[in-house]
Structure formats: C-alpha cells, structure tokens
Amino acid sequence: MVRLLGRSGARSTRRPSGPRPSHAPDRALGAPDGHPRRPGKQPGHPLTGNRRGTGRSGLRSALGGRSVAGQVFVLQVVIVLLLVVAAVVALVLQVRHDSTQEARNRSVAVAETFANAPGTVEALRAPDPSAVLQPRAEAARKATDVDFIVVMNTDGIRYSHPKTDRIGKKFVGTIAPALAGRTVTEEITGTIGPLVQAVVPVKADDGKVVGLVSAGITTESVGGTADRQLPLVLVAAAAGLALATAGTALVSRRLLRQTHGLGPHEMTRMYEHHDAVLHAVREGVLIVGGEGTLLLANDEAHRLLDLPDDAEGRHVFDLGLAPDTSGLLASGRVATDEVHLVKDRLLAINQRTTDSKGGPPGSVATLRDSTELRALSGRAETARERLNMLYDAGVAIGTSLDVTRTAEELAELAVPRFADFVTVDLFDAVLSGGQPQAATALRRTAVNGIRKDAPLYPVGERIRLVDTSPQARCLAAEQAVVEPRLSEAAGWQAQDLERSAQVVTYGIHSLIAVPLRAGSLVLGVVSFWRSEKPEPFDVDEVALAEELVARAAVSIDNARRYTREHNMAVTLQRSLLPRNLPAQDALEIAYRYLPAQEGVGGDWFDVLPLSGARVALVVGDVVGHGLHAAATMGRLRTAVHNFSALDLPPNELLALLDELVGRIDQDEAAEGANAPVTGATCLYAIYDPVSRLCTIARAGHPPPALIHPDGSVEFPEVPAGPPLGLGGLPFETAELELAEGSRLVLYTDGLVEDRERDIDEGLELLRGALERAGRSPEETCRVVLDDSRLTARAGDDIALIVARTRSLTPDRIAEWQVPGDPAAVGEVRASVSRQLARWGLDELTFTTELILSELVTNAIRYGGDPIHVRVLHDRTLICEVFDSSSTSPHLRYAAMTDEGGRGLFLVAQLSERWGTRYTPDGKVIWAEQSLP
C-alpha cells in the first residue's frame, strides 16, 4: 500500500478552495495530450498495466524471499531439507546399528564354532600349536567371510592370525571374561584397524579353559548397506523439494494476481483517501518532474509559496519564486532543512529525488514555516542555557565546607555565562562561623571577572555601605535591586565618588544586587556587573540572579555552620588533649597530633605516671568527627585517668573502659540524641624501668611498633581485642622485655589507613619511615610525619607517640626480705637508714623509717609471708612493701581512746602519695616522698 500511495501521489491534484479546472485531473494523471485517461487503462500501470511482466517480476521477488509467498517457500524448503537430513542420519545410524549387531553375532558364531570344533583342544596341547591351528583358522576365516580368526593361549599369545608376523604376539582386546568362561564382544582398534570382535573360551572335557578363540570383522566391511540405500533417499528428497518449489510458485503467482486485481471502487477509494491526506497535512509538498515541471503542489505549498491556481504543469522558473528557491526545486539536488527566505517567511526545505530506486525522474520537496519556530528556539536556547547554569550551580557550588571557597565558586560560575564581573561581600561574622549582624560592615570575599583590572573593591576590603547604595537597599529590603544605568545612579555613586567614576569609565554600566539570604539570616550581598552587552539586565535575568544566589546561599550557610561547629570542636578538643606531659624518668617521650584536613576527630593520647616509677602510655580513637567525637574522647580520657589511679593491669583497665562505653551507648540510645560510640579503640601500655618489662593490651587498635637499639623495626604480636563498647569478650595482654634505648611507637589508624590504602600497606610504609628515622623520639616523629606517603591523604586525625626507654640502675634500688617477726622492723629501719646515707638523703631518714615501720608492721600483723621491702631512688623516694595477702588497708580516723589505727594516717601525712596495687602473688603498699 505504501508503494501504491507513492505512485498515485504523483498523479493526484490539489483540492482548491473554488471550482476545480476541468483540465487539472488530466495533467495530474500525466496525459500528455490533455485527454483524461482511466486509471485502469494506463499502459505500464503498476496495478493493471502489463500484467504478465509484473507477474514474472513478482514471482522472482516471491522466490527471493521478500514477500509472504517467498517466506512460505523458504520455510517449506527448510522443512524438506531438515526431513532429508533427519532421514539420512536415521538411515546411517540404523544401518550401522544393524551391521554392527550382525557383525557381533557372526563373530560370536564363528568363534564358538571354531572353539568347539574337534581337534581344537588337542591342537592347543600340541608341541607346535601354530602349525596346526594357523591353516585351520585361515580356512575357516575365508569360509565364513570374517576378517580374522585368532587362536591364543590363556595368556593371550596368538597361535594364528591373518598376518603371520602377528603370531606369537599379545592379543589386543579383553580376555579376562573369556578366561572366566564367558563370551566377550567388543569394538576396538586392533592390528588391522577398527573392528568388532568376539572372544570365546576353549574348554577341555573337565570344563577347564585351555585357550581362547577370537573372530572379528573390520568396520569398513560393515557399512555397505548405507552406501546402497543413501542415493535412493537423496533422490526422494530432491523430488520432494521440486514439488515444494512448484507448489510455492503456484501460490505466489495466485497471491500476486489477487493483489493486483483491484476493482474500480477500491481504486477510487484509495485515491480519495490519498488526496485527503495530502491536502490536510500542515506541511507543503511539491513534486517536480525531471524537466523541472511542477507536477503536484498541495494546499499548504500554495499558501507558503503563494502559488497561482494553475501552477501544476508549469516550469518552476515561471512561478515567480526567488531565484535561490526556484533553482533548488529545478535542480533536484538533495537538501536537508535548507532555509530560504520567501517574502516574510523563513522556509525549511527538504528535497529528495524520486528515481533513486527505479522510480520516475524528478524530486519531492517538503516545506515548513520555521519563522516562529526559530524565535521560539532562540528563547528555548536561552532558557536551556540558564537551566544548565542552575544545574551546574548545584554541582559546582558547595564542593567544600569553606565559606570563602564557596563564595569564589559562585563568582567563577557566573562569569562569563551570566555577568561580566561578580563580587561577593559577606559579614565578618559569617566568615568565622557566627551569626551575621546587619549593622556591621561587609568584607569583600570573592571577585571574578572577564578581566583582572576592573576598578572594583579588591578581596579582603572592608566595606561600609551608604544607605543609598543598591547593596544597602537590597539588604534592607531583602530583595534584589537593579541599577540599569550606573552612570545615572546617584545613590550608587555616593558610595565612593572616585571609584564610581572609574567603574563607569571602565565600561561597567549595569548592576544587579541580590541579598545572600538563608532562611531568616542575611549573610551578605552578591553584585552582578555588566560591561560587554549594551543592554541592561532585564526582569528574567533578575529572576535568574535571585535563583542562583539562593542556591549559593544554602551552601554558604552550610559552610558557615560547619565552620562554627569546627571551631567549637577544635576548641573543645584542644582543651581535652594534654597540654604538657607529666615529669617522669622512665621514658623519653615525643608526640605529635595532626588534625584531619576536614573535621575534628576523636583521636587522643596520654602519659600517666604510676607507682613504682612505672609509666602508662595510652592512645585511643573515637570513630567519627565533630563535637560528639571530641566530647566522647574527653570522657574516655578522663575515665582512663581515673582507672589508672587504681593501678590496674592493662587488660583489666580496658575491661572497665569497655563497660563504660557500653553504658554511654545505653544512655545515648535511651535519649535518642546521638549515635552509639561503638568503634572506639584504645591501646594501653605500662612500662616498668626496674624490670624493663612493658605490658600491653589493645582494644581494636593498630599494633605498636618497636624500634630496637640497632635500628631494626618490628610490630610485636599483641592480641587484638574487640573495639570498646561491644562487650562480652576479655582482653589479653602481651609482655615485652625492652632493651634500654628501645623506642616504642604508638599511633592511631589515621597514620596507616585510609579509603585508598589498606592497613597492611600503611604498616609497611610506617616501617620504612621508622627505619630511616634518627635515634631521638623527636627525630622519629619528624621523619614519620614528613613522609608524604603516610600523611598526604590523611582523612582522619593522627596521634603519634614515640617513647625511648630508660632503666633504673641497680645502684638506685635497695631490697630486703623481711621475716614475719615484729623484731625485724628494727633491722629494716637500720638498713634503710644506711641506704639513705649512701644516696645522700639523710634528711629523709626519719620520715622514711617511720613510713617503713608502719607499713612493715601492718604487713607482719595483717599480711602474709613472704614480705619484701623495696626502696627506689627516682624523681621521688619510693618505699614499697610486698606481701602475699590480698587484704587492702583502709585509712581511718582513730578515736582518742583507740590504741591503734593511726599508722596509715601517719603514712598519708608524711608522704606525698601512697596507695595499694595488686600483683598475681599479693599486693604492694607504696608511698612516695619528694626529694629535698
């Protein structure tokens, strides 16, 4: 039907508004003499003319598969071919099966006959079986039409074979079932090729197997039946295919005749529908013959080109069209959306030839009026550009939580797509994260323009606006203010007469001032300046400026809020971290704290002096950033301070800390205010300078690094407990003996782990940095943090402590074993008096004797053997009394009538600090005195 419409369209006439001329249909139908022709009688007409030739070409098309009849033909051929192939395959398989079965049966029959023949058993027992059996086997083979008969002994050694060189060699095949008395048939590749063979036993009178007989037929001797039957099948297939082709040709011929046999009524209706569609479309259609004659023009083409009523049949150069338009139509060349000015219209012309696929010579052109479309497209393009800019604003503005950078992003986006120059002025309080005050001055935060020499206020300039300026008016009214002509704006010029004159002379002539408003807060003002385009800003551009600034205001306010929270978190965190390390002699310590690039984390560290000249090192990390992480860090650090006063082992202290974090989580979950603290980690280590032992436990924290005095680095195996707050699992400790001068390195995960690097890679980088470090803790900290591979991408806080160990020399330690006799107290006093004299601490003799007398007396009276006394000369004088009892002494006030109870009170008064710590074997009561 598409082909029919294309043919009839070339002969249709347009439907004029008035009476149609009598000769119009004749020309449209192509009668050269002006006399009308009936459609059914036109020579060569595709429907009725030259029906025989059409039928032949249609038949060829059908057989070529381009029509329904052709597709039916192809389907039938495929079905016949599939049936033929299936028949051939089935025949070959059946013949092969029957032949193989026949070969099996014949082989078994021949083998059994020969095995049971008289004289076979005696021949096998003869001195030379081959001399007797070879002639018999060959005679039997030729008589039975098999390929071989082989007689062999029970070991499979042949006595006969068609090829005599095979006699005496091992038989190829399966003989085990035959040796058991059964018959075997199989298909193998033997010495004479692929074959079917049978193996049967030769039995003596007593039933014993004394030999074997095998008979077989090769595969090539089996397939003769298929070769004889296959030509018959192929002939039958060819006959079926020929019949299918003949039947399909007849059906195709009948279908083509039915398609072309349209009656007058159907032809008339087809032409009427085609004519109605052609003249109803709102697009001009022209059909031009090969000689440049206009054959058809529909109503829309007459309207667009203002053609005369008798235009059909005339040459296109005689229609009064513009030369470029008529030249295009007469040339017949291909054109796509080629715009031509026809009077006051812009017409988009598309033209294609009609003879590209064997059609008549000529061309078809379509016309569209694009005058209004181009105006609309211009406005649509402008709107699209503005929407793109707003979309880009959502992506490009607010990429960082920095107020100044966000203002710069706004200025960069708007130039030159919207304005030639952009300035952003913010209140000083906004830059520091505070609440803006309308009465204060503004700070020029960002400037951007098509040139760098504009006479506008520079970045950093403090600006106090006059009330008549557009910026002041927009801040007061909280809406945009437009100054279309700055040269005439007296209020704007009053801001700075000299600078205003320079701006006008520079060429800046129009201004939009838009307040930066986020909710109820006015953060500043954005000014858009124009110099290149002579037109001032219009209403649509003001709306765009307001939308652009509104989107930027949200990002600037977010950055302001973040700045405020960040400043608060930094202040809180710095107040919670240790400012000065306590004085102690056990470790030489250096530390560094590197905050994250964005946000404040919960990393913390501490150094805690303990009793007995010991020192505790602690490093922790609270996952997350902001005030909550910093506050939680402070709570955990305070808790560690309190728990360390109990002189607990590291694993017990972490257990108490884990329980505390669990309670914090429960409290915050009940309030629904903050996220749980799960994810907090901690490492706690205690170093004893007397024994040089370091006891370490960790809760989900990275392992420590140890630098030996020779510079080698290792990561000691410290059991990794779960993070704090999970509960339910105990913590384990590791005990390391550190040589004097060793450096213990504690750190948080921000140093060795980030989103693009796993912890194993970070540990190797840390190992390399520590191996390059100097011997001092300060040098070690510097080298580690100067390594860009470790700290360049730090997205989390980094806390680092390097502690070089020292030991308390034996000459500063005094120890005595005390028997459980009260008389031994005097010996202890005498011994400590002599030791203090050697240390030059005679001023502490009286108080030390009194302290040790009370502590040793209590140990003898209330403790258990053995009792041990140790005095350490460190930054303080430390007296320690060990006993095996776990009973803890209590300080109390004795009444006036009490005879005892004042010993610990005296110890507390005479010493600077005193306390009790527990050991696996008992407890230690200690007291410290300041040195004179």
Side-chain angles (χ1 to χ4, degrees):
M1 291 301 293
V2 174
R3 186 177 179 185
L4 294 177
L5 289 174
R7 290 281 186 175
S8 61
R11 293 169 173 79
S12 297
T13 60
R14 74 178 183 89
R15 182 173 298 163
S17 57
R20 178 180 299 179
S22 60
H23 60 275
D26 304 329
R27 286 188 186 142
L29 293 174
D33 54 358
H35 297 286
R37 290 178 179 171
R38 294 174 58 191
K41 297 299 183 180
Q42 295 179 24
H45 195 273
L47 299 180
T48 57
N50 196 6
R51 183 170 292 178
R52 178 176 298 176
T54 304
R56 290 176 181 173
S57 63
L59 180 60
R60 288 195 299 269
S61 176
L63 296 179
R66 290 175 293 179
S67 64
V68 175
Q71 294 175 0
V72 172
F73 169 72
V74 173
L75 179 61
Q76 289 181 351
V77 170
V78 171
I79 292 174
V80 171
L81 290 177
L82 288 176
L83 291 176
V84 170
V85 172
V88 171
V89 172
L91 174 63
V92 171
L93 293 178
Q94 183 63 38
V95 170
R96 181 175 180 82
H97 176 269
D98 294 342
S99 300
T100 303
Q101 188 63 36
E102 180 184 355
R104 287 175 179 266
N105 295 337
R106 192 192 305 175
S107 300
V108 172
V110 171
E112 288 180 348
T113 301
F114 193 92
N116 297 322
T120 302
V121 175
E122 288 75 12
L124 288 171
R125 293 174 176 173
D128 187 5
S130 295
V132 178
L133 293 175
Q134 175 66 10
R136 293 182 182 180
E138 286 300 299
R141 178 180 66 81
K142 296 176 181 178
T144 57
D145 198 22
V146 296
D147 290 300
F148 70 89
I149 296 177
V150 174
V151 183
M152 67 199 88
N153 61 13
T154 56
D155 295 328
I157 304 301
R158 300 189 186 98
Y159 291 147
S160 67
H161 196 278
K163 298 180 179 180
T164 57
D165 60 339
R166 301 292 192 270
I167 298 174
K169 295 183 179 179
K170 187 73 173 182
F171 174 74
V172 179
T174 303
I175 63 175
L179 293 174
R182 298 193 301 274
T183 299
V184 181
T185 60
E186 59 183 352
E187 295 182 31
I188 66 169
T189 300
T191 59
I192 60 175
L195 52 87
V196 178
Q197 68 181 12
V199 181
V200 300
V202 178
K203 298 181 180 179
D205 295 337
D206 57 356
K208 181 179 179 181
V209 177
V210 297
L212 304 173
V213 177
S214 174
I217 302 174
T218 59
T219 303
E220 61 182 358
S221 302
V222 181
T225 304
D227 296 337
R228 293 191 296 272
Q229 295 181 359
L230 184 59
L232 179 61
V233 174
L234 294 178
V235 170
L241 183 60
L243 290 175
T245 303
T248 303
L250 293 175
V251 173
S252 301
R253 188 178 183 85
R254 184 176 181 84
L255 288 174
L256 290 173
R257 283 200 303 270
Q258 290 178 350
T259 304
H260 290 169
L262 295 176
H265 176 70
E266 289 80 5
M267 291 290 295
T268 302
R269 184 172 61 183
M270 181 185 67
Y271 276 109
E272 288 178 348
H273 289 174
H274 181 213
D275 191 70
V277 172
L278 181 65
H279 294 287
V281 296
R282 300 299 298 169
E283 190 171 81
V285 178
L286 298 174
I287 300 179
V288 182
E291 301 296 330
T293 303
L294 179 63
L295 301 179
L296 173 68
N298 69 349
D299 294 345
E300 184 67 9
H302 274 265
R303 185 184 70 84
L304 294 176
L305 297 176
D306 196 16
L307 298 176
D309 293 338
D310 60 346
E312 287 88 348
R314 297 170 59 180
H315 200 280
V316 291
F317 286 120
D318 300 334
L319 299 178
L321 301 176
D324 59 338
T325 305
S326 58
L328 171 62
L329 298 176
S331 67
R333 62 180 175 84
V334 175
T336 301
D337 286 338
E338 192 170 306
V339 179
H340 289 259
L341 178 62
V342 178
K343 296 184 179 180
D344 59 345
R345 295 188 180 95
L346 290 174
L347 301 183
I349 302 177
N350 290 274
Q351 184 166 271
R352 297 292 184 272
T353 59
T354 58
D355 58 354
S356 59
K357 295 184 179 180
S363 61
V364 178
T366 59
L367 314 172
R368 293 196 318 274
D369 188 356
S370 61
T371 306
E372 296 180 357
L373 181 61
R374 284 187 168 270
L376 291 174
S377 64
R379 292 195 292 270
E381 180 65 20
T382 302
R384 185 185 64 82
E385 291 178 357
R386 292 177 178 178
L387 286 175
N388 286 340
M389 184 166 61
L390 292 177
Y391 171 78
D392 293 342
V395 176
I397 300 177
T399 59
S400 67
L401 293 173
D402 182 78
V403 175
T404 301
R405 180 57 194 154
T406 306
E408 292 173 350
E409 291 170 346
L410 169 60
E412 292 170 358
L413 176 73
V415 177
R417 300 170 65 177
F418 178 68
D420 298 322
F421 299 91
V422 175
T423 59
V424 182
D425 305 320
L426 300 177
F427 292 106
D428 285 333
V430 175
L431 296 173
S432 59
Q435 293 279 0
Q437 301 293 330
T440 60
L442 295 168
R443 180 79 62 180
R444 177 61 49 89
T445 307
V447 176
N448 191 34
I450 58 176
R451 294 184 297 273
K452 300 300 183 183
D453 57 346
L456 300 171
Y457 287 118
V459 172
E461 183 80 13
R462 187 178 177 85
I463 306 171
R464 186 170 295 276
L465 301 173
V466 298
D467 295 338
T468 59
S469 66
Q471 290 83 355
R473 286 187 283 130
C474 86
L475 290 175
E478 295 188 4
Q479 60 183 9
V481 173
V482 182
E483 284 292 354
R485 286 172 292 277
L486 293 177
S487 59
E488 303 175 5
W492 168 73
Q493 295 176 6
Q495 174 68 39
D496 189 334
L497 294 177
E498 182 180 357
R499 190 178 294 273
S500 299
Q502 294 174 355
V503 169
V504 173
T505 303
Y506 188 79
I508 299 177
H509 59 82
S510 186
L511 164 68
I512 301 178
V514 184
L516 261 167
R517 186 175 62 245
S520 60
L521 294 179
V522 178
L523 309 176
V525 61
V526 181
S527 301
F528 301 92
W529 312 80
R530 173 170 288 175
S531 64
E532 295 295 317
K533 292 178 63 176
E535 301 85 4
F537 288 108
D538 57 25
V539 176
D540 292 339
E541 290 171 324
V542 173
L544 176 61
E546 291 179 328
E547 180 67 22
L548 190 63
V549 172
R551 298 194 178 199
V554 175
S555 299
I556 291 177
D557 188 53
N558 289 339
R560 178 190 67 85
R561 294 171 182 269
Y562 170 78
T563 301
R564 179 183 60 186
E565 182 176 345
H566 179 75
N567 292 339
M568 294 173 60
V570 169
T571 302
L572 175 61
Q573 186 186 42
R574 293 189 183 281
S575 66
L576 294 175
L577 289 174
R579 300 181 182 180
N580 296 304
L581 296 182
Q584 47 81 33
D585 290 337
L587 297 170
E588 180 186 353
I589 295 176
Y591 66 92
R592 294 290 189 276
Y593 179 79
L594 185 65
Q597 295 176 354
E598 292 186 2
V600 175
D603 292 13
W604 53 284
F605 62 91
D606 223 330
V607 178
L608 306 172
L610 302 178
S611 63
R614 298 171 304 135
V615 177
L617 300 175
V618 58
V619 176
D621 183 9
V622 177
V623 175
H625 295 83
L627 287 173
H628 178 62
T632 305
M633 175 270 289
R635 298 171 71 177
L636 295 183
R637 179 171 178 257
T638 303
V640 171
H641 268 268
N642 294 333
F643 293 151
S644 67
L646 301 176
D647 250 333
L648 298 174
N651 58 331
E652 295 183 17
L653 185 140
L654 290 182
L656 293 177
L657 204 60
D658 178 68
E659 184 179 350
L660 172 65
V661 173
R663 288 199 300 270
I664 293 175
D665 286 347
Q666 292 177 2
D667 295 342
E668 293 187 349
E671 296 177 1
N674 294 307
V677 187
T678 303
T681 64
C682 184
L683 185 147
Y684 190 82
I686 297 177
Y687 174 69
D688 187 349
V690 177
S691 62
R692 292 185 287 104
L693 293 179
C694 183
T695 307
I696 306 175
R698 61 188 179 112
H701 204 81
L706 179 62
I707 307 175
H708 294 284
D710 60 359
S712 60
V713 179
E714 69 166 320
F715 293 94
E717 290 292 336
V718 178
L724 299 176
L726 296 182
L729 294 175
F731 297 96
E732 301 181 57
T733 61
E735 195 171 76
L736 309 176
E737 183 174 355
L738 305 181
E740 186 172 6
S742 301
R743 281 167 287 168
L744 188 66
V745 182
L746 309 181
Y747 52 91
T748 55
D749 59 355
L751 182 64
V752 295
E753 189 176 13
D754 58 30
R755 295 178 180 177
E756 301 178 5
R757 180 182 64 202
D758 60 21
I759 191 170
D760 292 333
E761 180 182 356
L763 290 177
E764 288 304 314
L765 293 176
L766 177 60
R767 181 195 300 271
L770 294 177
E771 289 174 348
R772 297 190 306 269
R775 300 187 62 84
S776 69
E778 282 291 339
E779 180 67 15
T780 304
C781 288
R782 186 190 63 79
V783 170
V784 170
L785 293 188
D786 286 348
D787 192 329
S788 59
R789 295 178 297 174
L790 285 169
T791 60
R793 299 178 299 181
D796 195 4
D797 294 5
I798 296 176
L800 175 66
I801 297 181
V802 179
R804 185 165 62 182
T805 61
R806 298 169 178 164
S807 62
L808 199 62
T809 57
D811 60 336
R812 301 175 74 87
I813 304 172
E815 298 181 273
W816 304 278
Q817 293 292 336
V818 180
D821 184 0
V825 175
E827 297 178 4
V828 170
R829 286 199 301 266
S831 298
V832 74
S833 177
R834 290 190 297 270
Q835 185 64 48
L836 292 179
R838 286 192 290 268
W839 287 341
L841 300 177
D842 298 297
E843 298 180 17
L844 300 179
T845 301
F846 174 76
T847 55
T848 303
E849 289 180 354
L850 184 57
I851 290 173
L852 284 179
S853 297
E854 295 296 334
L855 295 181
V856 172
T857 301
N858 283 340
I860 294 172
R861 181 176 299 177
Y862 304 108
D865 293 332
I867 300 173
H868 180 70
V869 174
R870 186 174 71 174
V871 180
L872 305 177
H873 182 194
D874 194 37
R875 298 182 66 89
T876 59
L877 184 64
I878 305 170
C879 300
E880 297 178 331
V881 177
F882 300 77
D883 68 77
S884 61
S885 172
S886 60
T887 304
S888 177
H890 296 284
L891 179 66
R892 64 187 182 90
Y893 290 96
M896 295 295 294
T897 57
D898 290 342
E899 296 182 359
R902 298 176 178 84
L904 287 180
F905 179 78
L906 291 175
V907 171
Q909 295 296 317
L910 295 175
S911 62
E912 185 175 317
R913 292 193 311 156
W914 77 280
T916 305
R917 70 172 182 272
Y918 293 91
T919 66
D921 300 326
K923 69 175 182 297
V924 179
I925 304 177
W926 55 271
E928 291 185 4
Q929 301 177 75
S930 298
L931 298 180

